[in-house]
Amino acid sequence: MALLQDLIQQIDDPALRERILQETNKLVKQKKFGLVFEEHLPECTPLYDVPIRVGSKVARKIGYVSDIYTVLKIEGSAVLCDRRETHEQVTLQMDEIVAIAEFGEPIYPTLKPIDYVENAPANDLWHTLIEADNYHALQLLEYLYAEKVDCIYIDPPYNTGAKDWKYNNDYVDSSDAYRHSKWLSMMEKRLKLAKKLLNPKDSTLIVTIDEKEYLHLGCLLEETFPEARIQMITSIINRKGVSRKGNRADSNKKEITQFSRVAEYLYFVMLGDASIKKSEHNMLDTPNNRIAETDGQEQVGWLSMLRRGAASHRADKPKHFYPIFVDHQKRTIVGVGEPLDLSEDRKTVQSVEGIDIVWPMRTDGSEGRWQLKRETFIAALHAGTAKLGTYNRKQNRWAINYLNQGIKDEIAKGAIIVEGKDEKGALILKRVTEKLVEPKSVWNQTPHNASEYGTTLLNSIIGSDKFTYPKSIYAVKDTIAMCVSSKPNALVIDFFAGSGTTLHAINLLNAEDGGKRRCIMVTNNEVSADESEELTAQGYQPGDCEWENLGIARHVTWPRTVCSIKGNNIEGSPLTGTYGCDVEQYIEIEGEVTDSETGKRIRGKVYKKVKLPAYPNLADLKMSDGFKTNAAYFKLSFLDKTSVALGRQFKELLPVLWMKGGAIGKCPMVDEGDLPNMLILPMNKMAILIDEIYYPEFDDQMALYPEIQTVFIVTDSEPAYREMIRNYNGKDCYQLYRDYLDNFRINTGR
């Protein structure tokens, strides 16, 4: 542009020069720097619960929802419609069409209860699944949780062209000059709403993607979140690789071989003070391809069972003098003898071939005693807190080791981590030190394998072939833990919920560290392309039960949620296995090695490959145990604005108010008939004054339940509302229905 302006300045005619400069400046202002794409016209959402009237905008249930008609006349089941694109007038049947909402129109959403699973009645933690177009769900969530969300994790469609589900990866429009435009437009609108949900002082957005769109997504994130710190991670999700074949771009159409895909990418968008936690794992090294190392961490020392110092002789505690029998070949303890009286000679205990007898003998040859009495030592062996130590060839004796109470206290406090047990049942321990490391930008973790811990796990819960390419539950857990491990009460949202891995992972994370993080998932209920064709051939349409029951929300996401919480599969049988995720690792043991100088075989440290839990804290959590938590399933519906303003749809709005109050306790319901004057709900930590003339009684009730945190007042008078909440400092107060209506009126023109 600078060169162009220099050339313009060389024009002799001042009027012409000025005119060209003006037009050039207009072009400069119109120029969009950064990511350039065609911004698509608004999307549309079918509103199956909204009645169709004259003037309604509708679309065919079978067809494109963006092919819009306006209702001109209704006679019985026949509906005369004007098609927007061609103004052709056609008569359609009422059961063929559905009311629609276009992008940017003011909407008045509510949540229609569908189902719930309650596996912890005394627990006030409730997760939620919302069946909805995620754009309109995000609008509702903005009203509920603006700037209150700690982490958003999304796995959006990768725009590969596959047609397995809606948001079906096919975001290439034939009218686009740029094949990425439609996908980028779809993502941009949702990311702008997501930004309004995130806490600007400390929160993180995580987006997974593959090579099809990672460059464009990165630019879009930079434009949408210019104030954020953004990093991209490469994560190995399938070491075997996924074959990538394609055709040449020219007319030859010859198939060519491409690199096999083993990884995907994760963008971390960190706002405010958000940071990634340091860990003892750098996420790059994996037990599969290295010998286990301490990374500078101190090993836990086992203590000798032989008593030393004061009161260390046999006579000091005769009950602590007993033989321990060791199979020399197998190098394991095979028995524990009875204590001997002081008058009994230890030589009376006869040896058996191949079995060594180990006594508590002092270095000067005198008889000592063990640290633990016989019964305590046997219990320690079973618990893994006692074990056979090394064999001293020179002294021809075995060491016996144990863990004292101090070590056990450190384990209880978390200063020492139990990583599992070795092949002989002894605990494998590692001391936690302050030397933590920053995770690296390439992750290579066995539990992140999407095939084994995504597809196989999901199929074991809900059956095979119901969802393609689910994420590894451990990959999602580890990813989110990077951001919320220090936030035990974090609010996490996933608005591309898919198979429901995120909520499953949050439950796993809570089980691992005792947190009470809450998860909100959003997914639509579209069926696959093949199922759509089959259902249509059978005469079914979207909205029919037969159609809806095969949608992703009802067929995959919710069944997985229910089953994983209850601990059984879709058939009702208990799930098998634990969440510890046993993987092959190398451990250090005593064995025979070759001396590098003499070439002789001697006893020394060797490494053995064994299967140990990758997550020791979850090793005892059986999948059949499920999770002590609860979840509610809602469908996004829409209300008539006038009815809301008049207070006629309070019952329909109650789930929305419950969510705005933090979704604490089971969602309340009101019986059919006249509404009560007020609702005092201490179990939900919320209260609603429905009839303002009963404010004095309401105020008295509020005084009885100080735990109530959220207050709704139904009144048309702003001064009256301010007067009524004057005593509720520190509580979250809202005026109905003005607060609700004003929020969604703002949605116009987005």
Side-chain angles (χ1 to χ4, degrees):
M1 287 305 301
L3 177 58
L4 181 59
Q5 288 180 339
D6 287 343
L7 293 173
I8 293 173
Q9 292 298 331
Q10 298 176 24
I11 299 174
D12 294 330
D13 187 336
L16 177 60
R17 182 173 63 243
E18 183 62 27
R19 178 68 184 277
I20 293 177
L21 278 172
Q22 290 177 0
E23 294 302 319
T24 303
N25 289 334
K26 290 180 183 179
L27 290 174
V28 170
K29 292 178 181 179
Q30 291 175 3
K31 168 66 178 173
K32 183 176 182 180
F33 294 95
L35 188 63
V36 181
F37 59 93
E38 299 171 82
E39 296 183 356
H40 279 258
L41 292 175
E43 303 165 39
C44 301
T45 299
L47 311 175
Y48 290 103
D49 295 329
V50 174
I52 295 172
R53 303 183 177 91
V54 173
S56 295
K57 284 181 288 187
V58 299
R60 294 176 185 263
K61 290 181 179 179
I62 302 295
Y64 292 101
V65 72
S66 56
D67 189 5
I68 299 172
Y69 297 80
T70 302
V71 175
L72 302 177
K73 187 178 180 180
I74 300 176
E75 291 185 350
S77 62
V79 183
L80 180 63
C81 300
D82 177 80
R83 189 182 183 194
R84 176 185 291 181
E85 186 175 337
T86 63
H87 290 293
E88 170 193 6
Q89 292 191 5
V90 296
T91 299
L92 303 172
Q93 294 300 305
M94 184 67 77
D95 61 1
E96 290 183 281
I97 58 177
V98 60
I100 60 104
E102 292 188 271
F103 174 89
E105 293 181 333
I107 58 169
Y108 301 95
T110 190
L111 296 171
K112 181 179 179 181
I114 301 296
D115 198 4
Y116 68 91
V117 55
E118 188 174 15
N119 202 38
N123 191 339
D124 62 7
L125 173 64
W126 281 75
H127 305 295
T128 47
L129 167 65
I130 301 175
E131 176 191 321
D133 169 270
N134 61 10
Y135 182 81
H136 291 304
L138 284 169
Q139 288 180 305
L140 175 60
L141 292 175
E142 182 189 348
Y143 167 66
L144 299 174
Y145 303 119
E147 298 189 351
K148 293 182 179 180
V149 176
D150 298 287
C151 178
I152 293 178
Y153 173 96
I154 55 173
D155 178 30
Y158 289 178
N159 202 11
T160 62
K163 298 179 182 292
D164 39 11
W165 297 98
K166 184 71 181 286
Y167 301 129
N168 58 15
N169 285 339
D170 189 8
Y171 275 92
V172 181
D173 193 310
S174 59
S175 64
D176 286 337
Y178 186 50
R179 76 172 301 275
H180 308 280
S181 288
K182 191 175 181 182
W183 186 88
L184 286 167
S185 180
M186 181 274 295
M187 288 297 296
E188 181 187 45
K189 290 195 282 285
R190 286 154 178 79
L191 289 175
K192 285 181 177 178
L193 282 175
K195 183 176 183 178
K196 296 181 179 181
L197 293 173
L198 290 165
N199 177 0
K201 296 180 180 179
D202 181 6
S203 64
T204 306
L205 166 70
I206 306 166
V207 190
T208 66
I209 201 68
D210 74 357
E211 69 274 11
K212 294 290 188 299
E213 296 292 355
Y214 82 101
L215 292 171
H216 314 102
L217 176 63
C219 291
L220 181 59
L221 291 171
E222 286 187 342
E223 289 188 5
T224 309
F225 299 89
E227 73 280 25
R229 286 161 286 112
I230 302 176
Q231 275 192 288
M232 190 184 80
I233 304 303
T234 300
S235 178
I236 309 299
I237 61 168
N238 190 338
R239 290 188 180 89
K240 294 180 180 178
V242 178
S243 178
R244 294 292 206 194
K245 294 187 181 296
N247 296 324
R248 287 178 54 178
D250 57 27
S251 58
N252 191 354
K253 300 298 182 183
K254 180 181 178 181
E255 188 177 90
I256 56 175
T257 300
Q258 303 180 67
F259 292 105
S260 179
R261 175 174 173 259
V262 300
E264 65 180 14
Y265 310 103
L266 297 91
Y267 278 102
F268 283 77
V269 182
M270 293 167 278
L271 300 175
D273 295 331
S275 63
I276 302 304
K277 74 158 186 173
K278 289 186 177 182
S279 169
E280 60 189 35
H281 306 296
N282 64 26
M283 299 300 287
L284 175 60
D285 296 324
T286 176
N288 272 44
N289 58 18
R290 67 174 175 85
I291 291 176
E293 58 186 3
T294 64
D295 288 333
Q297 295 181 353
E298 177 187 348
Q299 291 291 300
V300 179
W302 288 67
L303 304 176
S304 171
M305 263 280 287
L306 180 64
R307 175 79 177 188
R308 293 184 173 87
S312 60
H313 291 85
R314 174 181 179 182
D316 294 321
K317 280 197 174 182
K319 294 291 185 182
H320 287 227
F321 186 80
Y322 51 85
I324 297 174
F325 302 102
V326 176
D327 186 316
H328 194 99
Q329 186 68 29
K330 296 181 179 179
R331 306 176 70 83
T332 185
I333 295 174
V334 294
V336 181
E338 295 289 340
L340 299 185
D341 290 335
L342 281 174
S343 60
E344 292 183 273
D345 190 332
R346 72 177 189 276
K347 294 180 181 179
T348 60
V349 179
Q350 297 297 314
S351 175
V352 178
E353 185 177 352
I355 302 298
D356 296 340
I357 303 177
V358 184
W359 294 96
M361 303 300 295
R362 294 163 54 85
T363 54
D364 62 4
S366 62
E367 294 178 331
R369 70 173 181 88
W370 298 121
Q371 293 276 15
L372 304 176
K373 63 181 181 180
R374 179 180 183 272
E375 294 78 8
T376 306
F377 176 68
I378 292 174
L381 281 175
H382 290 305
T385 57
K387 68 176 183 177
L388 181 66
T390 57
Y391 179 70
N392 189 316
R393 190 179 296 274
K394 290 183 179 180
Q395 297 181 4
N396 190 29
R397 60 187 296 176
W398 290 96
I400 307 295
N401 299 129
Y402 84 113
L403 300 177
N404 66 6
Q405 190 59 45
I407 297 293
K408 293 178 182 178
D409 290 342
E410 287 191 83
I411 293 174
K413 294 176 182 177
I416 293 175
I417 295 174
V418 178
E419 294 193 311
K421 290 185 176 182
D422 63 20
E423 73 280 3
K424 296 178 182 178
L427 297 184
I428 300 172
L429 305 173
K430 183 164 65 176
R431 185 179 300 279
V432 177
T433 70
E434 294 301 317
K435 186 176 180 180
L436 301 176
V437 297
E438 296 175 349
K440 295 184 178 179
S441 60
V442 176
W443 297 354
N444 185 21
Q445 299 299 300
T446 301
H448 291 192
N449 184 288
S451 176
E452 184 172 357
Y453 304 109
T455 302
T456 302
L457 175 62
L458 179 63
N459 290 347
S460 72
I461 297 174
I462 65 171
S464 61
D465 301 326
K466 292 186 178 181
F467 188 87
T468 55
Y469 308 119
K471 287 281 184 288
S472 160
I473 185 175
Y474 301 106
V476 178
K477 181 189 78 73
D478 291 347
T479 299
I480 296 176
M482 293 278 179
C483 308
V484 300
S485 60
S486 61
K487 299 177 180 179
N489 298 306
L491 175 59
V492 180
I493 289 178
D494 179 355
F495 54 86
F496 284 104
S499 70
T501 307
T502 301
L503 192 151
H504 198 166
I506 291 296
N507 282 333
L508 198 57
L509 180 58
N510 285 342
E512 186 176 43
D513 66 8
K516 294 190 68 175
R517 300 169 187 87
R518 185 159 62 92
C519 180
I520 299 173
M521 297 192 300
V522 179
T523 183
N524 60 32
N525 196 42
E526 296 293 336
V527 301
S528 67
D530 291 341
E531 287 172 330
S532 176
E533 291 181 7
E534 184 177 338
L535 288 166
T536 301
Q538 295 174 7
Y540 297 117
Q541 302 180 104
D544 294 340
C545 291
E546 293 81 1
W547 189 293
E548 297 302 311
N549 288 339
L550 288 178
I552 181 174
R554 304 191 188 192
H555 198 47
V556 179
T557 321
W558 182 243
R560 176 187 186 157
T561 298
V562 174
C563 290
S564 62
I565 289 177
K566 288 186 174 181
N568 55 252
N569 64 20
I570 198 71
E571 303 296 332
S573 301
L575 297 174
T576 59
T578 75
Y579 283 108
C581 187
D582 290 342
V583 297
E584 290 184 339
Q585 300 182 42
Y586 289 92
I587 61 170
E588 187 181 78
I589 62 172
E590 284 287 327
E592 289 193 351
V593 297
T594 302
D595 187 288
S596 59
E597 295 182 359
T598 64
K600 295 181 179 180
R601 299 290 290 175
I602 60 174
R603 301 301 300 178
K605 300 290 186 182
V606 298
Y607 296 96
K608 179 180 180 181
K609 184 185 286 188
V610 297
K611 276 208 167 187
L612 294 173
Y615 302 92
N617 291 346
L618 297 170
D620 295 328
L621 179 59
K622 297 177 182 178
M623 292 188 181
S624 59
D625 292 340
F627 300 101
K628 296 303 178 184
T629 190
N630 315 292
Y633 174 19
F634 300 99
K635 180 177 180 179
L636 190 72
S637 187
F638 297 90
L639 301 176
D640 177 71
K641 171 191 171 183
T642 304
S643 296
V644 172
L646 295 175
R648 294 173 181 166
Q649 294 188 303
F650 174 82
K651 296 173 185 176
E652 289 78 6
L653 269 178
L654 190 53
V656 173
L657 304 184
W658 170 72
M659 284 200 69
K660 194 167 181 67
I664 299 169
K666 190 174 181 180
C667 182
M669 307 287 288
V670 292
D671 297 331
E672 294 296 329
D674 295 335
L675 291 176
N677 301 318
M678 67 187 74
L679 285 176
I680 306 297
L681 305 166
M683 292 295 293
N684 305 111
K685 298 184 181 179
M686 61 183 283
I688 309 166
L689 177 59
I690 299 172
D691 190 335
E692 60 184 302
I693 68 171
Y694 290 92
Y695 172 75
E697 293 87 341
F698 179 81
D699 195 46
D700 291 341
Q701 289 292 309
M702 287 291 294
L704 297 176
Y705 300 101
E707 66 269 30
I708 288 177
Q709 181 60 34
T710 306
V711 180
F712 298 95
I713 306 290
V714 179
T715 178
D716 292 330
S717 170
E718 177 76 15
Y721 167 71
R722 294 296 170 192
E723 178 66 18
M724 283 187 279
I725 66 170
R726 71 189 188 284
N727 294 328
Y728 304 148
N729 291 333
K731 300 184 186 298
D732 299 318
C733 300
Y734 304 95
Q735 180 186 354
L736 293 178
Y737 294 93
R738 178 175 176 176
D739 174 76
Y740 172 84
L741 293 172
D742 283 354
N743 180 78
F744 296 104
R745 188 176 299 117
I746 295 171
N747 286 338
T748 306
R750 283 186 177 174

